[in-house]
Amino acid sequence: MGRSLRKRNLKSSTLPPKKPSFANPAEELRAAQQQLQEAETLRQKKFFDKAEVICSHLIRQYPDYYGALHTLGLIYADKGQHQRAVQFLVQAAIQHPRSWITQTALAGSYLNLDSEDLAAQALERAVTIKPDSPEVLITLGEVYESLRDYEPMLTVYKKALELEPDRVEAAWGVSKACIELGDFSQASSVLSSLIDLKHNSLALLENLTQLPASFACENLDSLIKSVHIRDVAESQASFLFVQARASAINGNSEKAWKLFSEANRAKLKILGENNLESSLTSYKQRLNWLQDNTNAGRREPESKDPGFTSLFILGPSRSGKTTAEKLLSSHSGVLRGYENPTISKAIKQTFMDAGLLSWQQTANLPYYLRDHVSENYIELLNFDASKYSVFTNTSPGLIWDAIFLNEFITGAKYIFLDRNVDDLAMDIFMKNYRRGHTYSYKLEKTYEFIGLYKQMVEIMESRIPEKVLILNYDDLIKSPRECFDRMVAFAGLDRQDCELPELGDNRGVSAQYRKYMDQTSNRVS
C-alpha cells in the first residue's frame, strides 16, 4: 500500500465512517457482497494490495462485517504478515465463533508465529464444528509436525487422505511423517501415488531423495529432468541438493560430490558467511563460559521427583539420535518424544513469568527461578507416569543448555551419540536443512562445529558422570541388543527381551568421498 494511501486511511479513520446511501437495503447488501467477492477474486489472483484496499474500505463502513474481516485476515496471511492476520481473524471469530474456516485460518497464522498451543486450541474448536474436514486435519498435521509429534501427525494426515484421496497436502504429510518414523516402505508408496497423479514438483523430489537407496524411485532421473524449478535462489539451491542426492543414490560419487559442493555454496550464499561465523562464535562463547565456571551444572534441583526419567538423547545432527531413540522405545516403559520442544517452552515461560527477556541464555536465569522451570516443564509435558517410566527427547539444540537442565529437571539423564567424524561431517554436508545449521554448508566449519560439540560432551561427562552414557553409532548398528540393554539399564528400566526394530545402516557414508574431503577440510579427532 502506498504512502499517500496510508495517509488517507489514517486520516479517514479519525472520522465516523460514511455509509453509502441506498434507498433499498437489499441493494446495500448486494453492493457489499459484490465488493467482498471482488476482493476475494483479487486475493486468489495474488493482487493482495488491491484486495486489501477493498476490505479495509468495507470494514470502515461496516466494522462488524464478518466476511471482510475474515478475508482481510487471509490477505495478511498470504502476505506473510501473520501478526496482522491474527488481529483481523480474531475479530472475525468474535463475529462468527462457529466458523471452522476462520478457526483453521487463525490456527495457520498462529503456527507461523510459532504459537503451537494457540494453533492447537483454534483447531480443537474447528474439529468440534467440522470433524471431517480435510482442511482442518491438514492444519492439525502441521501443528503436530511443528511439535515433532510424528505419530499423531501421521494419524491425522492419513484421515485427511482417506477423506480426500487426491489431496496433495495430505499425501505430503503422510510421506513426511513416515520418513521421520522410519517407515520408508509406506513413504515410498505414498510418493509413488503422487507420481501416478502426475504431481511432479521440487517437494516431491526432495522427499523421494530422502529415502534410502533400497527404496529409490526407478524413474528418478526422468522426474528430475521434467520438473520446473522457479528462478529463486532457495529453490535453485534445493534442486542442486536433489540432483546431488540422486547422483549419490545412483553411485556416481564424483558427480555427487561436485553437486553437493555447488549446492552448499549456493545455500551458504543465501544464509550469509557472516551468519555462519556469528553462530560458531556464539557456541564458542558459551563453551568458554562453561569452562571458566567450573561449578555450572553441578547443583542438584530442589524440585520434587516427577515420577519419571527425562532422558535426553543428544548429539550433532546425523549422529544417530533417532536410531538410538527408536531402539530404546522398543521397551514398553519408554514414551518416544522425538525432538519435543517442551523443555525449551518451559524455560521461555519461566523467563516471561518473571518479567525477564525471554531470549536470554539459560545460564542467565536467576537461581531462585530454576525450580520453576521444572514445574513448568512437568505441567506442559502432562506426562502419564502410570503408563511410562521414561520420556525421551532428541532435540539437537539442547546441547548448549544441557548442563543446566541437570539443575532444573529432577531425574534428568543424558545419552550422547558419537560417530565416525568423517561419516558425520559428510552426512551433514549432504543435507539441506530447512532452517539453521549454517555451519553445515562449509565442510571445514562442520568439522569445527563437531569439535565444539565434543567439548560440550566432555564437560558434561566430567561434571555429572553418573548421569551420562556415551554410545557409538557404529556399535548401535553392529550390536543393537547389547546397546539396547545398556540404555535400558542406564535409564533404570527392567530388562526386557522384546523384539528390536530394523535400524538401517548408514555406516561408511564418507568412504567414497574421502579423497575429495581431504582436499577441502580440516578434520578434528
Side-chain angles (χ1 to χ4, degrees):
M1 190 182 294
R3 185 176 178 184
S4 60
L5 184 55
R6 284 202 301 270
K7 285 185 175 180
R8 288 201 300 274
N9 286 345
L10 182 61
K11 186 174 180 180
S12 63
S13 65
T14 62
L15 302 173
K18 291 184 178 180
K19 294 184 179 180
S21 176
F22 291 97
N24 185 347
E27 184 181 345
E28 183 174 0
L29 288 173
R30 280 195 300 272
Q33 184 185 41
Q34 287 172 358
Q35 291 180 67
L36 183 62
Q37 289 173 343
E38 181 184 358
E40 176 59 17
T41 299
L42 289 167
R43 184 186 76 84
Q44 293 183 9
K45 292 181 178 179
K46 302 187 185 303
F47 296 126
F48 300 130
D49 290 346
K50 292 180 179 180
E52 180 184 348
V53 170
I54 294 172
C55 286
S56 298
H57 176 71
L58 283 170
I59 291 170
R60 286 197 302 274
Q61 289 181 320
Y62 312 104
D64 58 354
Y65 189 0
Y66 160 76
L69 292 165
H70 174 86
T71 303
L72 188 55
L74 297 183
I75 291 166
Y76 285 128
D78 289 337
K79 294 171 76 171
Q81 298 176 18
H82 293 285
Q83 292 277 11
R84 299 201 72 182
V86 166
Q87 175 187 345
F88 287 98
L89 289 170
V90 166
Q91 291 182 57
I94 290 171
Q95 298 300 324
H96 191 351
R98 289 194 55 78
S99 170
W100 66 271
I101 299 175
T102 296
Q103 295 294 344
T104 304
L106 187 56
S109 283
Y110 280 141
L111 195 56
N112 277 282
L113 294 170
D114 295 325
S115 182
E116 295 92 350
D117 292 339
L118 289 175
Q121 291 172 19
L123 287 169
E124 285 173 5
R125 291 190 287 271
V127 168
T128 301
I129 300 164
K130 193 79 170 178
D132 291 329
S133 165
E135 196 69 39
V136 174
L137 293 169
I138 287 167
T139 309
L140 185 57
E142 292 171 358
V143 172
Y144 285 131
E145 182 180 8
S146 180
L147 293 170
R148 277 78 164 177
D149 205 350
Y150 300 116
E151 289 169 2
M153 172 186 169
L154 177 59
T155 299
V156 295
Y157 275 127
K158 272 188 171 181
K159 185 175 180 181
L161 196 59
E162 290 170 3
L163 292 167
E164 197 171 330
D166 293 342
R167 188 66 180 260
V168 172
E169 298 96 323
W172 288 140
V174 171
S175 67
K176 285 190 287 185
C178 288
I179 289 172
E180 294 293 346
L181 291 168
D183 187 351
F184 300 117
S185 177
Q186 186 175 177
S188 177
S189 175
V190 173
L191 292 171
S192 295
S193 70
L194 287 172
I195 296 173
D196 294 340
L197 291 170
K198 307 299 182 184
H199 187 85
N200 192 14
S201 66
L202 177 58
L204 173 66
L205 294 174
E206 287 180 309
N207 277 9
L208 284 171
T209 52
Q210 285 186 57
L211 298 174
S214 57
F215 293 93
C217 176
E218 293 182 359
N219 58 337
L220 184 57
D221 289 339
S222 61
L223 288 172
I224 289 174
K225 291 177 182 177
S226 65
V227 74
H228 172 72
I229 305 300
R230 293 185 303 148
D231 189 18
V232 178
E234 184 67 46
S235 297
Q236 295 293 329
S238 296
F239 188 54
L240 285 169
F241 273 104
V242 165
Q243 292 175 299
R245 290 196 68 86
S247 297
I249 290 170
N250 292 332
N252 191 338
S253 57
E254 181 177 1
K255 182 179 180 181
W257 173 260
K258 290 179 180 178
L259 287 166
F260 277 126
S261 299
E262 188 178 351
N264 278 278
R265 284 193 296 270
K267 194 64 181 280
L268 184 58
K269 185 177 180 181
I270 295 169
L271 296 174
E273 190 94 26
N274 290 338
N275 288 329
L276 185 158
E277 294 296 342
S278 64
S279 65
L280 287 176
T281 299
S282 174
Y283 299 145
K284 292 174 186 175
Q285 289 172 344
R286 297 169 84 166
L287 183 60
N288 291 337
W289 187 94
L290 285 173
Q291 290 170 335
D292 293 338
N293 291 267
T294 56
N295 288 324
R298 299 182 189 273
R299 172 184 174 270
E300 290 291 329
E302 297 176 2
S303 55
K304 65 179 182 180
D305 188 344
F308 65 92
T309 297
S310 293
L311 183 58
F312 297 95
I313 303 176
L314 304 177
S317 171
R318 315 303 297 169
S319 61
K321 301 181 300 296
T322 301
T323 301
E325 184 186 39
K326 182 179 181 181
L327 181 62
L328 180 59
S329 65
S330 303
H331 195 288
S332 61
V334 177
L335 179 62
R336 192 174 179 183
Y338 305 96
E339 296 180 6
N340 187 282
T342 301
I343 185 61
S344 299
K345 288 184 175 182
I347 293 169
K348 183 177 180 180
Q349 181 175 316
T350 304
F351 272 108
M352 293 189 293
D353 287 345
L356 299 172
L357 295 171
S358 59
W359 50 258
Q360 292 195 27
Q361 292 180 9
T362 308
N364 296 330
L365 187 67
Y367 276 106
Y368 70 89
L369 290 174
R370 296 197 171 190
D371 289 334
H372 291 283
V373 174
S374 181
E375 295 170 6
N376 290 333
Y377 171 67
I378 293 170
E379 180 184 348
L380 290 168
L381 191 59
N382 194 25
F383 186 81
D384 188 353
S386 67
K387 291 184 178 180
Y388 304 98
S389 302
V390 174
F391 179 76
T392 60
N393 191 323
T394 62
S395 184
L398 286 177
I399 182 61
W400 309 107
D401 288 317
I403 192 70
F404 299 105
L405 300 185
N406 184 59
E407 300 184 342
F408 299 165
I409 309 299
T410 300
K413 292 186 177 181
Y414 311 87
I415 294 176
F416 291 103
L417 269 296
D418 191 20
R419 187 180 177 189
N420 175 281
V421 68
D422 293 322
D423 285 351
L424 178 57
M426 189 60 211
D427 222 352
I428 291 172
F429 194 65
M430 294 166 71
K431 184 171 177 61
N432 181 19
Y433 292 92
R434 285 186 295 176
R435 63 179 71 178
H437 299 83
T438 51
Y439 64 85
S440 69
Y441 302 109
K442 200 167 187 178
L443 195 57
E444 57 266 37
K445 297 299 180 180
T446 299
Y447 277 107
E448 184 177 348
F449 172 82
I450 294 170
L452 295 173
Y453 206 109
K454 287 190 173 189
Q455 290 181 64
M456 285 294 298
V457 175
E458 289 168 1
I459 289 175
M460 294 282 291
E461 188 180 22
S462 67
R463 294 186 189 179
I464 49 171
E466 73 283 358
K467 296 184 178 182
V468 170
L469 173 66
I470 298 177
L471 289 178
N472 183 272
Y473 171 77
D474 286 16
D475 291 339
L476 279 175
I477 305 305
K478 182 175 63 175
S479 307
R481 175 63 66 179
E482 179 182 337
C483 290
F484 172 77
D485 288 342
R486 287 182 66 193
M487 288 191 288
V488 165
F490 176 72
L493 294 163
D494 294 331
R495 190 178 185 280
Q496 282 186 357
D497 291 323
C498 52
E499 183 179 353
L500 301 183
E502 291 290 331
L503 298 179
D505 188 350
N506 205 24
R507 292 174 293 174
V509 69
S510 65
Q512 57 187 320
Y513 303 103
R514 197 70 58 82
K515 62 181 179 181
Y516 310 115
M517 298 171 74
D518 288 342
Q519 300 168 9
T520 60
S521 63
N522 298 310
R523 289 199 179 94
V524 295
S525 59

